[in-house]
Amino acid sequence: MIEVIPNWHPVFVHFTVALLSIAVILFVAIRFIGDEKLRLQWEIVAQWNLWLGAIITVLTVVMGVVAYNSVAHDTPSHAAMTEHRNLALVTTVLFLCLAVWSALRARAGQGINMLILIGLLVAGGLLMSTAWHGGEVVYRYGIGVMSLPKTGDHGDGGGSEVRTATT
């Protein structure tokens, strides 16, 4: 593994968020497109984003479980990681169900119905919440990142202080 990235979860998670978010946005957008040909094209693109996003999400979750069980952390960050993990599992199950449902309907020559669209909106909201909590794990608790140098230590032995925006 690359030294800077302690595990593969950050690599896969961006594909999950991007593909599934685009799928939800496109499925909503096609409701407002009047041109039937364009609507059909966008629905195909949305379906492929959903299906590919669901597939890569399985890898994302596997890598997330590896990360959950391998990164060093303390009690507060463990609670944040657990909340992120639980949200991710619920979100994953929902998107996987929606992707299978979408694929079955596509195979039967049917489009996305209103119930699937509502499910996609709920799943999209859960995805954004999961991503937010994942960001907190990294940026608030510093999990999975290399430590920064202490402020005031510039390697010159002088220990000069770092100015902040308020000083």
Side-chain angles (χ1 to χ4, degrees), residues 15-16 19-20 23 45-60 96 99:
F15 288 100
T16 290
L19 289 167
L20 295 178
V45 173
Q47 287 171 330
W48 277 104
N49 273 275
L50 177 60
W51 302 335
L52 291 172
I55 290 167
I56 201 143
T57 296
V58 173
L59 293 171
T60 302
L96 287 175

Short mmCIF file of all heavy atoms in Angstrom, two decimals, residues 15-16 19-20 23 45-60 96 99:
data_model
loop_
_atom_site.label_atom_id
_atom_site.label_comp_id
_atom_site.label_asym_id
_atom_site.label_seq_id
_atom_site.Cartn_x
_atom_site.Cartn_y
_atom_site.Cartn_z
N PHE A 15 -15.63 7.00 -5.63
CA PHE A 15 -16.41 6.45 -6.74
C PHE A 15 -17.84 6.18 -6.31
O PHE A 15 -18.79 6.48 -7.03
CB PHE A 15 -15.77 5.17 -7.29
CG PHE A 15 -14.50 5.43 -8.04
CD1 PHE A 15 -13.27 5.23 -7.44
CD2 PHE A 15 -14.54 5.88 -9.35
CE1 PHE A 15 -12.09 5.47 -8.14
CE2 PHE A 15 -13.37 6.12 -10.06
CZ PHE A 15 -12.15 5.92 -9.44
N THR A 16 -18.00 5.63 -5.11
CA THR A 16 -19.34 5.37 -4.59
C THR A 16 -20.15 6.65 -4.51
O THR A 16 -21.27 6.72 -5.02
CB THR A 16 -19.25 4.70 -3.19
OG1 THR A 16 -18.75 3.38 -3.34
CG2 THR A 16 -20.60 4.66 -2.50
N LEU A 19 -20.75 8.20 -8.25
CA LEU A 19 -21.65 7.44 -9.12
C LEU A 19 -23.09 7.44 -8.58
O LEU A 19 -24.04 7.66 -9.33
CB LEU A 19 -21.15 6.01 -9.29
CG LEU A 19 -19.88 5.85 -10.13
CD1 LEU A 19 -19.31 4.45 -9.97
CD2 LEU A 19 -20.18 6.14 -11.60
N LEU A 20 -23.24 7.20 -7.29
CA LEU A 20 -24.59 7.13 -6.74
C LEU A 20 -25.25 8.50 -6.68
O LEU A 20 -26.46 8.62 -6.92
CB LEU A 20 -24.58 6.45 -5.37
CG LEU A 20 -24.15 4.97 -5.39
CD1 LEU A 20 -24.12 4.40 -3.97
CD2 LEU A 20 -25.06 4.14 -6.29
N ALA A 23 -26.40 9.29 -10.15
CA ALA A 23 -27.58 8.48 -10.47
C ALA A 23 -28.85 9.13 -9.91
O ALA A 23 -29.84 9.29 -10.62
CB ALA A 23 -27.42 7.06 -9.92
N VAL A 45 -28.17 6.39 -18.67
CA VAL A 45 -26.98 6.85 -17.96
C VAL A 45 -27.19 6.75 -16.45
O VAL A 45 -26.30 6.29 -15.71
CB VAL A 45 -26.61 8.30 -18.37
CG1 VAL A 45 -25.47 8.85 -17.52
CG2 VAL A 45 -26.25 8.35 -19.85
N ALA A 46 -28.36 7.15 -15.97
CA ALA A 46 -28.66 7.08 -14.55
C ALA A 46 -28.63 5.63 -14.06
O ALA A 46 -28.09 5.34 -12.99
CB ALA A 46 -30.03 7.70 -14.27
N GLN A 47 -29.21 4.72 -14.86
CA GLN A 47 -29.21 3.31 -14.46
C GLN A 47 -27.80 2.77 -14.37
O GLN A 47 -27.45 2.09 -13.39
CB GLN A 47 -30.02 2.49 -15.46
CG GLN A 47 -31.51 2.71 -15.32
CD GLN A 47 -32.29 2.05 -16.44
OE1 GLN A 47 -31.81 1.91 -17.56
NE2 GLN A 47 -33.52 1.67 -16.13
N TRP A 48 -26.95 3.06 -15.35
CA TRP A 48 -25.58 2.57 -15.32
C TRP A 48 -24.81 3.16 -14.14
O TRP A 48 -24.00 2.47 -13.51
CB TRP A 48 -24.87 2.84 -16.65
CG TRP A 48 -25.19 1.78 -17.65
CD1 TRP A 48 -26.04 1.88 -18.71
CD2 TRP A 48 -24.69 0.44 -17.65
NE1 TRP A 48 -26.10 0.68 -19.38
CE2 TRP A 48 -25.28 -0.22 -18.75
CE3 TRP A 48 -23.80 -0.26 -16.83
CZ2 TRP A 48 -25.00 -1.55 -19.04
CZ3 TRP A 48 -23.53 -1.58 -17.14
CH2 TRP A 48 -24.12 -2.22 -18.22
N ASN A 49 -25.04 4.42 -13.83
CA ASN A 49 -24.40 5.01 -12.65
C ASN A 49 -24.85 4.29 -11.39
O ASN A 49 -24.03 4.01 -10.51
CB ASN A 49 -24.71 6.50 -12.55
CG ASN A 49 -23.74 7.34 -13.34
OD1 ASN A 49 -22.68 7.70 -12.85
ND2 ASN A 49 -24.11 7.65 -14.58
N LEU A 50 -26.15 4.01 -11.29
CA LEU A 50 -26.68 3.30 -10.12
C LEU A 50 -26.08 1.91 -10.02
O LEU A 50 -25.63 1.49 -8.95
CB LEU A 50 -28.21 3.23 -10.21
CG LEU A 50 -28.92 2.45 -9.10
CD1 LEU A 50 -28.65 3.05 -7.73
CD2 LEU A 50 -30.42 2.41 -9.39
N TRP A 51 -26.06 1.18 -11.12
CA TRP A 51 -25.57 -0.20 -11.09
C TRP A 51 -24.07 -0.26 -10.81
O TRP A 51 -23.63 -1.05 -9.97
CB TRP A 51 -25.89 -0.91 -12.40
CG TRP A 51 -27.36 -0.95 -12.72
CD1 TRP A 51 -28.41 -0.87 -11.85
CD2 TRP A 51 -27.95 -1.06 -14.02
NE1 TRP A 51 -29.61 -0.93 -12.51
CE2 TRP A 51 -29.36 -1.04 -13.86
CE3 TRP A 51 -27.43 -1.15 -15.31
CZ2 TRP A 51 -30.24 -1.13 -14.92
CZ3 TRP A 51 -28.31 -1.25 -16.38
CH2 TRP A 51 -29.70 -1.24 -16.18
N LEU A 52 -23.30 0.58 -11.49
CA LEU A 52 -21.85 0.60 -11.24
C LEU A 52 -21.55 1.11 -9.83
O LEU A 52 -20.64 0.59 -9.15
CB LEU A 52 -21.14 1.46 -12.28
CG LEU A 52 -21.13 0.90 -13.70
CD1 LEU A 52 -20.57 1.93 -14.68
CD2 LEU A 52 -20.35 -0.40 -13.77
N GLY A 53 -22.30 2.11 -9.39
CA GLY A 53 -22.13 2.63 -8.03
C GLY A 53 -22.41 1.57 -6.99
O GLY A 53 -21.69 1.45 -6.00
N ALA A 54 -23.46 0.77 -7.21
CA ALA A 54 -23.80 -0.29 -6.26
C ALA A 54 -22.69 -1.35 -6.22
O ALA A 54 -22.32 -1.83 -5.14
CB ALA A 54 -25.13 -0.92 -6.63
N ILE A 55 -22.16 -1.69 -7.37
CA ILE A 55 -21.09 -2.69 -7.42
C ILE A 55 -19.84 -2.20 -6.69
O ILE A 55 -19.27 -2.90 -5.86
CB ILE A 55 -20.76 -3.07 -8.88
CG1 ILE A 55 -21.92 -3.86 -9.49
CG2 ILE A 55 -19.45 -3.86 -8.96
CD1 ILE A 55 -21.84 -4.02 -11.00
N ILE A 56 -19.43 -0.98 -6.99
CA ILE A 56 -18.21 -0.46 -6.36
C ILE A 56 -18.44 -0.21 -4.87
O ILE A 56 -17.50 -0.25 -4.08
CB ILE A 56 -17.66 0.78 -7.08
CG1 ILE A 56 -16.18 0.95 -6.72
CG2 ILE A 56 -18.41 2.04 -6.72
CD1 ILE A 56 -15.34 1.43 -7.83
N THR A 57 -19.68 0.02 -4.47
CA THR A 57 -19.99 0.22 -3.06
C THR A 57 -19.67 -1.03 -2.24
O THR A 57 -19.25 -0.93 -1.08
CB THR A 57 -21.45 0.65 -2.88
OG1 THR A 57 -21.61 1.92 -3.52
CG2 THR A 57 -21.82 0.80 -1.42
N VAL A 58 -19.85 -2.18 -2.84
CA VAL A 58 -19.50 -3.42 -2.14
C VAL A 58 -18.01 -3.40 -1.79
O VAL A 58 -17.62 -3.71 -0.66
CB VAL A 58 -19.87 -4.66 -2.97
CG1 VAL A 58 -19.36 -5.94 -2.33
CG2 VAL A 58 -21.39 -4.73 -3.17
N LEU A 59 -17.16 -3.00 -2.75
CA LEU A 59 -15.73 -2.89 -2.48
C LEU A 59 -15.44 -1.79 -1.45
O LEU A 59 -14.58 -1.96 -0.58
CB LEU A 59 -14.97 -2.58 -3.78
CG LEU A 59 -14.97 -3.69 -4.82
CD1 LEU A 59 -14.38 -3.17 -6.13
CD2 LEU A 59 -14.19 -4.88 -4.32
N THR A 60 -16.17 -0.70 -1.55
CA THR A 60 -15.99 0.40 -0.60
C THR A 60 -16.27 -0.07 0.82
O THR A 60 -15.52 0.24 1.75
CB THR A 60 -16.92 1.58 -0.96
OG1 THR A 60 -16.63 2.01 -2.29
CG2 THR A 60 -16.75 2.74 0.00
N LEU A 96 -28.26 -1.12 -2.78
CA LEU A 96 -28.19 -2.42 -3.44
C LEU A 96 -29.59 -2.93 -3.81
O LEU A 96 -29.80 -3.43 -4.92
CB LEU A 96 -27.47 -3.44 -2.55
CG LEU A 96 -25.97 -3.27 -2.42
CD1 LEU A 96 -25.40 -4.28 -1.43
CD2 LEU A 96 -25.27 -3.39 -3.77
N ALA A 99 -30.78 -0.85 -6.73
CA ALA A 99 -30.07 -1.20 -7.96
C ALA A 99 -30.61 -2.51 -8.54
O ALA A 99 -30.82 -2.62 -9.76
CB ALA A 99 -28.57 -1.31 -7.69
#
